[in-house]
Amino acid sequence: MGSTSTLHFEAAVTRPLSVVFRTGEAWEGHDYTVEVVAMRRGLDGFDVVVDFRDLEAALDRSLAPLQGRLLSELGLDGPLALAQRLLAELAPFVPAPAHLKEVALTDGRGRRMVVLS
């Protein structure tokens, strides 16, 4: 088998998120599973992509002010804007040579939307 430095590895963490969107006069509550995926070529000295605890802590910090909120009050007009915001906020917390690959939102019906970096 070849060296692990030629292979790409991914690490993902997930957290629940409940938010409300307003479209016109209608209010829509959504429960999502937020998945954040980091990727790198090869593994570090501890055979990991990134420290899961650090990635989870960064995700928790980003989600805390969003939980249960009306996202239009925060300047977010839908799930795409939400995923893009999370991608931008979390990217700096993934240390090189790893990088943030994607943020995915999966709703209660299993519909999944992915934003790639």
Side-chain angles (χ1 to χ4, degrees), residues 6-84:
T6 62
L7 301 174
H8 285 90
F9 294 86
E10 294 181 0
V13 297
T14 61
R15 290 289 192 264
L17 177 65
S18 295
V19 294
V20 178
F21 293 104
R22 184 173 185 172
T23 54
E25 296 300 314
W27 299 77
E28 291 184 40
H30 290 275
D31 293 323
Y32 292 107
T33 297
V34 178
E35 180 182 41
V36 175
V37 180
M39 185 174 92
R40 71 178 276 165
R41 183 180 300 248
L43 297 172
D44 70 10
F46 298 104
D47 287 339
V48 298
V49 175
V50 294
D51 187 325
F52 282 106
R53 295 168 297 189
D54 294 343
L55 191 54
E56 288 169 334
L59 181 55
D60 289 342
R61 281 190 306 273
S62 289
L63 295 181
L66 304 174
Q67 285 288 0
R69 296 287 306 272
L70 176 60
L71 294 184
S72 61
E73 291 178 350
L74 302 171
L76 300 171
D77 60 359
L80 177 59
L82 171 61
Q84 289 171 326

